[in-house]
Amino acid sequence: MQASWMILASLFFATMSVCIKFASVYFNTFELVFYRGLIGIVFMAAICRSQKVSLKTPIPLMHVWRSVIGVSSLTAWFYAIAHLPLATAMTLNYMSGVWVAAFLVGGTLITGRLKDVARQGPVVLTVIAGFVGVVMILRPTLEQNQLWAGVIGLLSGLGAAMAYLQVAALGRLGEPEARTVLYFSIGTVLTGALAMLFVGPTDWVWPQAWWLLPIGLLAALGQLCMTKAYSSGATMVVANLQYSGIVFAALYGLFLFGDQIPLIGWAGMLLIISSGIAATALRNRTLPRVPTKNH
């Protein structure tokens, strides 16, 4: 089920990206962040109510940290998108899976569990193979005058990895997934609202404004599924399966926008799918979790 949650999350996020592509013509980036979070708050509050989950958390500081690093990563990614070719920005952000593997292996080495490192090795290779598949699909480029933006893009992936590990830590402490997503939605609303004070809002255009609704719902559903996956799944396996979002995005581009996928792109998709299957098969041979104190 953990693998299914991550694949479903990737599908939701990819579909959300299609909606953002249409909505971005009528709304600026920070408005999209704000409304995405606002709709997410309403949706997740309703889920919490239906599940009789209290909105009060015993570990508020962990939620604050998750929101800070998650929103910071999102902001860095938006900066990278604005100053880099889209394929490069996405590739650097998707390095989060590699960072997750590096953090987990590093934590295992620090604690001296060398046998666990040997068991983790095959899954680490599948994560790297999946990232190679991402590069094959996106084929990123970087000019010399884009090095600073490249560093920011790299940090967006690093921040995303830290956010994912924090989600896993919250799950191990028994924090309900719906409440975790609710608090993150609050963080995105606050960030979007603060930014809108400087850039200002745009006039709503109907019926195009209806794009905001699926963006918010898909983002909330994607976050919920992702949180379920990282809370209860083998962390590196889940990190590998997030690459499936690139496959979904490429197929959307092909069927909805007429984008052409070269042979190397199809080979990259095959590599991503194969590495995901291999990681799932190897999951029982790895050490999927690390102590909460490491995060």
Side-chain angles (χ1 to χ4, degrees), residues 188-213:
T188 60
V189 164
L190 293 176
T191 302
L194 181 63
M196 285 169 61
L197 292 177
F198 296 95
V199 301
T202 56
D203 295 330
W204 282 37
V205 179
W206 296 97
Q208 287 80 4
W210 283 111
W211 283 113
L212 297 173
L213 184 59

Side-chain angles (χ1 to χ4, degrees), residues 124-144:
V124 172
L125 292 178
T126 66
V127 173
I128 295 173
F131 181 71
V132 171
V134 170
V135 174
M136 292 170 65
I137 293 174
L138 297 178
R139 302 179 301 284
T141 59
L142 186 66
E143 302 294 337
Q144 187 172 359

Side-chain angles (χ1 to χ4, degrees), residues 39 51 81 89 106 135 145 154 160 177 221 251 255 265 270 289:
I39 295 170
Q51 296 178 348
I81 289 174
V135 174
N145 62 352
L154 194 64
E177 292 91 354
L221 288 170
L251 293 176
F255 293 114
L270 181 61
R289 300 173 181 173

Side-chain angles (χ1 to χ4, degrees), residues 99-196:
W99 286 117
V100 166
F103 284 141
L104 291 177
V105 173
T108 305
L109 286 172
I110 290 173
T111 55
R113 302 194 304 271
L114 298 182
K115 291 183 178 179
D116 292 334
V117 173
R119 288 203 300 270
Q120 288 176 324
V123 178
V124 172
L125 292 178
T126 66
V127 173
I128 295 173
F131 181 71
V132 171
V134 170
V135 174
M136 292 170 65
I137 293 174
L138 297 178
R139 302 179 301 284
T141 59
L142 186 66
E143 302 294 337
Q144 187 172 359
N145 62 352
Q146 297 172 331
L147 291 179
W148 173 248
V151 171
I152 299 299
L154 194 64
L155 290 175
S156 76
L158 178 62
M162 294 172 66
Y164 296 150
L165 291 174
Q166 185 69 0
V167 167
L170 286 165
R172 287 196 299 276
L173 291 177
E175 191 69 358
E177 292 91 354
R179 191 161 65 199
T180 298
V181 178
L182 173 65
Y183 276 91
F184 179 67
S185 298
I186 293 173
T188 60
V189 164
L190 293 176
T191 302
L194 181 63
M196 285 169 61

